[in-house]
Amino acid sequence: MNIETRALKTRAETDLASQYEALRASAGASVALRDKAFALFEAKGLPHRRVEEYKYSDLRAHLKSAAAPAAVASLEQSTASLAAAEAFAGVDRFRVVLDNGRLVAGLSDLEALAREGVGVTDVALLLEDEARARGVLSAPALACDDVSVALNTAFLQGGVAIAVGEGASVSKPVEIVHLASGEGARYSRVEVSLGTGAKFTLIESFAPTASSGEVNAVSNYMVGDEAELTTARLVAGGDTHVSSIFLTLGTSSRVKTLGFNVGTGFARTQSFVSFTGEHADADLLGITMLRGKGHGDQTLVVDHAVPHCNSRELFKAVVDGQAEAVFQGKIIVRPHAQKTDGRMMTQALLLSEEASMANKPELEIFADDVQCAHGATSGQIDEDLLFYLRARGIPETEARALLVLAFLAEAVEELGDEAIVAALEERVRGWLSVEA
Amino acid sequence: MPAVQETIDRVRSIDVDQYKYGFVTEIESEKAPKGLNEDIVRFISAKKGEPEWMLEWRLDAYRRWRTMDEPTWARVSYPKIDFEDLYYYSAPKTAEGPKSLDEVDPELLATYEKLGIPLREQEILAGVAPQNRVAVDAVFDSVSVVTTFKEELKKAGVIFCSISEALREYPDLVRKYLGSVVPVSDNFYATLNSAVFSDGSFVYVPEGVRCPMELSTYFRINDQQTGQFERTLIIADKGAYVSYLEGCTAPQRDENQLHAAVVELIALDDAEIKYSTVQNWYPGDKEGKGGIYNFVTKRGDCRGRNSKISWTQVETGSAITWKYPSCILRGDNSRGEFYSIAVSNGYQQVDSGTKMIHLGKNTSSRIISKGISAGKSQNTYRGLVSAHRKASNARNFTQCDSLLIGQDCGAHTVPYIEAKNSTAVFEHEATTSKISDDQMFYCQQRGLSDEEAVALIVNGFVKDVIQQLPMEFAVEAQKLISISLEGSVG
């Protein structure tokens, strides 16, 4: 599918190469792991539009230069940054703070989490021992041949590994706050594993920061048999953001995820979902709100490798200004994955003349007794609905905001967790009022 | 829901080993030497008595083609084609410009008779009601052997002839439009075709004329180791209407044969073109040996205001199908339609779909695609719907359903939907749930079972498509379309 053409290296590519040379000297035990990942980048270069998976998100053209990896932030810097990261202030939760990709133990509720039976490990420490690093830096990410993921592994600064024990039910959600203090690029890794029958709610938030530099985050969620995971992931702002999420579902597990992307920069969230046990059920939700020259890409690959699993995907985008939203979703149903039920819906609301949307909902089906469907729509706000509201005395801007909110709420509310839904809907209202 | 027995039986009845058109006509043929070089291009051009500019055009295409690589993005796999191991020109010896039907080799006439294609005008007149008359251009390997009803069409002002003849008789018309929809270097196979195309049909319907009968071309590959490269050009001038259909068959052979055609349609203001295909090239045997590689570029240009182009295709043959009949909706208020039924069996690989490119204002398009895969086949729908910045009020509705029969086949959907204008309204769906509960309830209430109800609704829906097809093809197509689609996957 992909055309192998290697043009001259771009400035960003040479930047990354020289940065890697510098980093390699002090990489210690993790050097073999990093070298392997970097070799993939060397071979392929930054993904561009001739690479099918990045057709609509040309990272090579977007990255004019690559910022050097950010230095360790001081506790004062982190404390100040944390004070500004208030997106989920209304949610009663534990916090685990990462700044410039590294765990800030002093600002995280580690003791409280230990009491709940949740193990929290600093990924930076794991990197000092290659065997342990291999054990925790999940197989799916290491096996993946995606260049963004490879760059994350090569430049990995740190992160957090959270283990929820068998049968444990954590009383409050855990928020992993990704801070960015000062300049530079951030490469972080979040590893979450749920034991059999565990119940866990996770929030990941990437706060908007004044500083530039790209963010490259990888999250790996391993959901054990009969376990339940609910996650919300907020990406707000930043020049360049690339997130890669790996989600593996065990037998009879239940997962709800919501990816929430609001911004004016370049953001891509790519999720790789695989069903490894029967009777698992996943709700995958996505919200994209863009304005200015924003570029928001939600890419999704759902791999039904075993029978009797359900997946529902609902992705909504609201696009204003000259922004462009992208949705690429692929449902794969492997041979023998009978009785699969996969439903994918993507809808876009274009608010301005120059807004654009690219949809690519794919199905790849090799089993004959399955139900799969996808739908894609894009259009403007329905004039009839607008008229209905205005006829009842609601001013036009307010009526528009109401309709947009209703459009997005359909996906947000599927998440189920009331406090998180309220916090995100607040976010939508805030975004809409800026326009009003 | 798995496929029902009735559907399985129907698909079985058109399975690869049931291929009815696999016979070979023993006829002496004249070939160009094997392989491809500038001399072959010159040879073909000289054989056709073409003007100098045409030779230059071909040579330019040939030189460009030499610099191009075969595309690999489609979901099909096949051993590399040796383009030097093919005959690029093969013509039945006796077919050198017969003046009338009586001069045509009786062997050829018998072949077409066997295929069920009537070439004798009077027989058609005698047998069938006048509204069902069809003018046929019969292309045998590299040349057009006969074109029927030419005189009668001429009376109406319609030009219908082989493209070689058009190049001689109406060079200005051909020069004006040839390559204006599918540029010479559009893609690998289109470029190859531009260099070596040997025959095909040319249709020009003048302003305000409604073509008095169906036009059709019947393509037959007969000779061994030949590639067929036909070129069709259809122009509907302002306010004109034409309905055109093509059919294709080939003998049963162990080798793979290449068919790389280019079809260009041009609809000017208020014109309408309907293009229907029943593609039944030899699909290969049970083990996947042999069969035609069908790499076709088909594109229509709705150049004028209020113009309309409609593609209808019923695809059952070919080892590999790689074709995307597309519409460029350039004129304001223009409309594009694509109706497709693709059935794959055995080891067939289908990668087909359409492109609807909305450029003008208030343009609309509709895509209905149904894929059925059985055996060890792979069936892919690949489509693009795009609205450009200035295409305000563009509308698209897309529906693609697929059905799998058995464990070893695959069905895939790869749609690209690009809205660059906020007033564009695009709807895409790939599911059978489009049949509304109300319709189902209505039927069930009258005592129909679920299956009967679905069959009824689906048939009622595709009837519109089938009615577009002229009768002789409609019969064949009906058989395929009556396959019920319950249990479809998107």
Side-chain angles (χ1 to χ4, degrees):
Chain A
M1 291 288 267
N2 300 327
I3 295 160
E4 297 289 338
T5 44
R6 288 296 296 121
L8 293 171
K9 281 193 172 175
T10 64
R11 157 107 195 268
E13 284 168 346
T14 49
D15 284 354
L16 287 166
S18 60
Q19 288 158 18
Y20 186 72
E21 272 311 302
L23 174 141
R24 201 175 176 277
S26 58
S30 59
V31 73
L33 212 61
R34 292 178 192 270
D35 275 354
K36 188 164 173 269
F38 198 74
L40 182 79
F41 164 75
E42 287 273 81
K44 289 188 165 184
L46 284 169
H48 48 91
R49 65 187 174 81
R50 304 300 286 272
V51 175
E52 182 67 19
E53 292 78 9
Y54 285 81
K55 182 177 165 66
Y56 296 111
S57 296
D58 191 330
L59 196 57
R60 189 163 73 179
H62 170 75
L63 270 189
K64 300 286 176 252
S65 62
V72 181
S74 68
L75 190 61
E76 292 76 45
Q77 278 181 314
S78 299
T79 311
S81 303
L82 184 62
E86 285 299 316
F88 293 96
V91 181
D92 184 17
R93 82 281 192 209
F94 298 118
R95 283 197 295 194
V96 172
V97 177
L98 301 182
D99 196 352
N100 291 351
R102 297 158 183 101
L103 178 67
V104 185
L107 297 174
S108 305
D109 301 320
L110 300 182
E111 280 165 31
L113 282 168
R115 280 198 296 277
E116 294 269 349
V118 178
V120 179
T121 317
D122 186 346
V123 167
L125 294 177
L126 290 173
L127 288 174
E128 291 168 10
D129 177 347
E130 203 203 335
R132 285 184 71 198
R134 277 195 188 279
V136 174
L137 297 180
S138 59
L142 293 180
C144 180
D145 67 350
D146 182 272
V147 172
S148 301
V149 176
L151 280 176
N152 177 281
T153 306
F155 286 97
L156 192 59
Q157 291 160 319
V160 66
I162 294 177
V164 184
E166 201 169 301
S169 178
V170 186
S171 65
K172 292 195 277 188
V174 172
E175 180 186 1
I176 298 175
V177 190
H178 294 262
L179 299 175
S181 298
E183 299 294 318
R186 284 99 192 163
Y187 300 91
S188 64
R189 182 68 63 93
V190 168
E191 297 282 339
V192 176
S193 67
L194 269 63
T196 305
K199 282 196 175 67
F200 189 52
T201 300
L202 176 74
I203 303 166
E204 280 197 69
S205 63
F206 292 82
T209 48
S211 70
S212 63
E214 63 269 35
V215 174
N216 182 327
V218 170
S219 295
N220 178 42
Y221 307 142
M222 308 281 282
V223 184
D225 297 351
E226 290 159 46
E228 280 179 35
L229 174 68
T230 302
T231 76
R233 207 162 186 284
L234 171 68
V235 175
D239 274 356
T240 309
H241 180 108
V242 181
S243 274
S244 309
I245 300 163
F246 297 88
L247 170 63
T248 311
L249 290 98
T251 305
S252 302
S253 58
R254 298 273 174 278
V255 171
K256 284 187 176 188
T257 71
L258 172 65
F260 195 102
N261 169 29
V262 49
T264 53
F266 178 102
R268 171 177 166 104
T269 302
Q270 44 182 6
S271 307
F272 305 93
V273 180
S274 59
F275 288 89
T276 57
E278 296 186 13
H279 299 287
D281 191 297
D283 275 298
L284 310 167
L285 310 163
I287 296 287
T288 301
M289 296 193 297
L290 302 172
R291 61 162 60 107
K293 288 190 188 300
H295 177 97
D297 175 345
Q298 302 247 27
T299 291
L300 178 69
V301 180
V302 182
D303 187 353
H304 282 271
V306 292
H308 295 286
C309 290
N310 298 333
S311 71
R312 280 170 305 279
E313 292 83 29
L314 180 59
F315 283 78
K316 302 243 183 184
V318 175
V319 196
D320 203 351
Q322 295 165 295
E324 46 189 15
V326 176
F327 173 79
Q328 302 186 99
K330 184 193 258 184
I331 299 181
I332 305 168
V333 179
R334 306 224 173 240
H336 312 299
Q338 302 291 14
K339 306 285 178 194
T340 291
D341 190 344
R343 284 166 200 283
M344 184 184 313
M345 186 70 198
T346 159
Q347 294 178 312
L349 207 50
L350 304 180
L351 298 182
S352 71
E353 266 299 300
E354 292 175 280
S356 70
M357 174 80 205
N359 269 323
K360 189 182 158 204
E362 275 183 77
L363 292 174
E364 205 171 290
I365 298 167
F366 296 95
D368 63 342
D369 189 8
V370 300
Q371 287 209 23
C372 282
H374 66 210
T377 65
S378 78
Q380 287 178 300
I381 287 180
D382 189 332
E383 290 296 324
D384 290 347
L385 297 179
L386 202 59
F387 177 77
Y388 181 91
L389 292 175
R390 293 189 66 191
R392 274 145 191 82
I394 299 171
E396 186 177 342
T397 45
E398 218 171 291
R400 281 186 186 277
L402 203 60
L403 290 170
V404 174
L405 179 64
F407 171 77
L408 294 176
E410 198 191 331
V412 178
E413 286 173 5
E414 280 291 310
L415 192 67
D417 186 300
E418 282 179 27
I420 298 174
V421 168
L424 290 173
E425 288 188 349
E426 198 45 50
R427 189 95 208 179
V428 176
R429 279 192 203 91
W431 188 83
L432 288 167
S433 66
V434 173
E435 185 198 33
Chain B
M1 182 164 46
V4 295
Q5 195 55 45
E6 188 194 356
T7 309
I8 294 169
D9 293 343
R10 281 249 165 75
V11 173
R12 176 78 189 101
S13 72
I14 52 160
D15 204 343
V16 289
D17 55 0
Q18 313 281 319
Y19 195 70
K20 287 197 293 269
Y21 310 104
F23 61 88
V24 181
T25 307
E26 293 300 335
I27 193 162
E28 230 185 313
S29 65
E30 184 190 9
K31 286 186 188 134
K34 226 182 210 180
L36 185 54
N37 51 49
E38 290 201 7
D39 290 341
I40 297 287
V41 177
R42 284 177 205 280
F43 173 86
I44 294 171
S45 188
K47 234 2 190 185
K48 304 273 162 196
E50 287 172 357
E52 186 63 21
W53 63 266
M54 195 58 221
L55 175 64
E56 282 310 313
W57 200 81
R58 284 176 182 274
L59 287 171
D60 174 51
Y62 171 75
R63 286 166 200 145
R64 286 178 196 232
W65 179 74
R66 277 286 169 209
T67 67
M68 294 168 93
D69 293 319
E70 267 184 88
T72 53
W73 45 262
R75 181 183 268 285
V76 294
S77 62
Y78 52 91
K80 223 169 158 39
I81 299 170
D82 184 357
F83 290 96
E84 302 303 330
D85 195 33
L86 286 178
Y87 290 107
Y88 287 82
Y89 183 85
S90 166
K93 252 192 182 146
T94 47
E96 285 288 341
K99 296 283 177 302
S100 76
L101 218 53
D102 300 329
E103 290 174 34
V104 174
D105 191 320
E107 194 64 37
L108 274 175
L109 290 180
T111 302
Y112 282 92
E113 209 160 285
K114 215 164 160 187
L115 293 169
I117 308 301
L119 293 181
R120 289 186 181 277
E121 296 177 20
Q122 65 278 24
E123 284 170 15
I124 309 163
L125 281 167
V128 191
Q131 63 266 31
N132 288 324
R133 279 185 304 155
V134 180
V136 181
D137 181 21
V139 176
F140 195 81
D141 285 332
S142 300
V143 293
S144 165
V145 287
V146 68
T147 308
T148 61
F149 289 107
K150 252 159 81 177
E151 290 312 310
E152 198 171 334
L153 285 166
K154 216 173 217 170
K155 267 182 234 154
V158 176
I159 302 171
F160 179 45
C161 60
S162 73
I163 196 130
S164 328
E165 193 181 330
L167 272 163
R168 290 190 299 267
E169 311 274 323
Y170 316 97
D172 295 341
L173 262 181
V174 178
R175 194 172 187 177
K176 186 172 172 193
Y177 292 106
L178 190 72
S180 71
V181 184
V182 179
V184 169
S185 54
D186 187 79
N187 66 66
F188 184 81
Y189 297 108
T191 311
L192 175 62
N193 175 287
S194 301
V196 302
F197 74 83
S198 44
D199 226 329
S201 304
F202 175 79
V203 177
Y204 175 79
V205 188
E207 198 169 330
V209 171
R210 196 181 160 87
C211 188
M213 64 180 85
E214 302 280 351
L215 305 183
S216 81
T217 303
Y218 197 89
F219 295 101
R220 173 79 179 165
I221 295 179
N222 187 59
D223 219 338
Q224 282 186 30
Q225 285 178 297
T226 52
Q228 190 177 53
F229 304 92
E230 92 255 6
R231 185 104 191 176
T232 297
L233 177 59
I234 299 176
I235 303 139
D237 212 324
K238 291 176 183 165
Y241 168 87
V242 61
S243 167
Y244 178 93
L245 53 113
E246 63 171 6
C248 352
T249 57
Q252 219 155 332
R253 287 220 175 84
D254 281 355
E255 58 170 6
N256 293 110
Q257 283 180 288
L258 180 63
H259 172 253
V262 172
V263 175
E264 295 177 280
L265 311 184
I266 295 143
L268 301 180
D269 289 1
D270 305 301
E272 181 177 347
I273 302 175
K274 275 184 189 181
Y275 193 104
S276 319
T277 306
V278 175
Q279 187 263 104
N280 199 5
W281 293 117
Y282 177 55
D285 67 6
K286 269 255 166 283
E287 272 72 52
K289 260 187 114 177
I292 302 289
Y293 291 163
N294 191 27
F295 300 134
V296 179
T297 307
K298 291 183 169 179
R299 198 172 300 155
D301 189 355
C302 287
R303 213 164 271 186
R305 293 170 57 85
N306 310 321
S307 55
K308 181 179 169 188
I309 287 178
S310 162
W311 298 97
T312 307
Q313 60 172 24
V314 178
E315 301 272 320
T316 57
S318 296
I320 297 175
T321 303
W322 181 99
K323 90 184 231 197
Y324 314 91
S326 309
C327 295
I328 300 167
L329 303 169
R330 202 185 301 275
D332 292 350
N333 313 325
S334 59
R335 180 169 173 79
E337 288 175 356
F338 174 77
Y339 301 100
S340 166
I341 293 151
V343 185
S344 59
N345 250 313
Y347 281 87
Q348 280 176 279
Q349 304 175 56
V350 181
D351 194 307
S352 182
T354 184
K355 287 185 190 178
M356 293 291 173
I357 301 177
H358 295 258
L359 300 174
K361 292 183 175 45
N362 308 318
T363 50
S364 61
S365 60
R366 186 177 196 203
I367 300 170
I368 309 285
S369 165
K370 296 180 188 295
I372 299 169
S373 35
K376 291 180 165 36
S377 66
Q378 299 292 330
N379 202 326
T380 304
Y381 168 83
R382 188 185 300 278
L384 166 73
V385 177
S386 82
H388 284 244
R389 286 251 177 265
K390 289 181 180 153
S392 45
N393 298 318
R395 293 283 179 278
N396 167 266
F397 175 77
T398 302
Q399 187 180 358
C400 39
D401 298 328
S402 8
L403 179 67
L404 288 152
I405 299 174
Q407 290 273 356
D408 303 320
C409 49
H412 319 290
T413 317
V414 191
Y416 297 78
I417 306 149
E418 303 170 3
K420 294 205 174 91
N421 184 299
S422 63
T423 54
V425 175
F426 288 170
E427 289 171 73
H428 171 104
E429 68 177 76
T431 170
T432 45
S433 66
K434 189 59 192 167
I435 295 175
S436 75
D437 292 345
D438 288 355
Q439 286 172 312
M440 285 296 286
F441 179 72
Y442 182 91
C443 296
Q444 283 165 331
Q445 220 196 14
R446 275 148 187 80
L448 296 179
S449 69
D450 278 12
E451 221 165 87
E452 286 167 329
V454 171
L456 187 72
I457 296 162
V458 169
N459 280 335
F461 162 72
V462 292
K463 210 164 185 180
D464 298 342
V465 187
I466 286 305
Q467 278 171 347
Q468 318 265 1
L469 287 169
M471 208 175 61
E472 63 195 51
F473 283 148
V475 179
E476 193 172 345
Q478 186 86 50
K479 229 174 14 195
L480 307 175
I481 289 150
S482 60
I483 290 165
S484 56
L485 283 165
E486 74 277 22
S488 293
V489 292

